[in-house]
Amino acid sequence: MAKYLLLKHYRGAPASVNDVPMDQWTPEELSAHVQYMRDFAARLEGTGEFVDSQALSPKGTFVRYDGEGRPPVTDGPFAETKDLIAGWMVIDVETYGRALELAGELSAAPGAGGKPIHEWLEVRPFLSAAPTITE
């Protein structure tokens, strides 16, 4: 089995089919979306393919060490992940094809009007070992 990270993005990927921002959904639409995610995770728990998932708060700060006795740097010329990543799911599956199949299914979570979002998800494999340095 191999672990994969399924990243749900706020932006940065091509627009989804049902591209209504989540902050414009009704409470019922939001509840249906969250329930879809819970049901999906529960089904994968049953097959042993679910590891973990989390939705992320839009609040967050980048931090960098800037030298002894100096305060950490908390801003910079980059897109902050709080603006990009909405949440994630870790799965443990037999094949890359299965990871793609599940990501495709997850992308169909309902959004505005109860219609599938068809959002883009990023599928990233976990490293099975630390990279080796060759000279």
Side-chain angles (χ1 to χ4, degrees):
M1 303 266 284
K3 289 188 174 84
Y4 292 88
L5 176 65
L6 308 181
L7 281 174
K8 294 175 65 65
H9 291 269
Y10 283 120
R11 63 176 188 235
S16 60
V17 173
N18 185 357
D19 197 24
V20 177
M22 190 177 271
D23 63 359
Q24 295 176 20
W25 295 1
T26 66
E28 295 79 18
E29 291 166 342
L30 186 56
S31 292
H33 180 80
V34 170
Q35 190 60 52
Y36 181 96
M37 302 296 287
R38 288 181 180 149
D39 292 346
F40 185 83
R43 187 168 54 83
L44 295 186
E45 282 177 334
T47 63
E49 297 173 306
F50 179 80
V51 177
D52 192 18
S53 68
Q54 296 292 324
L56 298 174
S57 165
K59 297 178 182 177
T61 305
F62 261 101
V63 177
R64 179 190 82 202
Y65 176 76
D66 202 32
E68 190 65 39
R70 299 181 70 180
V73 174
T74 59
D75 198 8
F78 39 74
E80 296 193 39
T81 57
K82 68 182 180 189
D83 296 331
L84 301 175
I85 300 172
W88 51 267
M89 180 177 284
V90 177
I91 57 174
D92 194 3
V93 295
E94 290 290 336
T95 65
Y96 178 67
R98 177 67 174 153
L100 295 179
E101 176 186 337
L102 291 174
E105 187 177 335
L106 187 59
S107 119
K115 296 179 182 163
I117 299 171
H118 296 285
E119 66 185 327
W120 289 92
L121 287 125
E122 184 177 355
V123 179
R124 303 218 21 213
F126 279 39
L127 289 174
S128 58
T132 57
I133 298 174
T134 58
E135 293 185 29

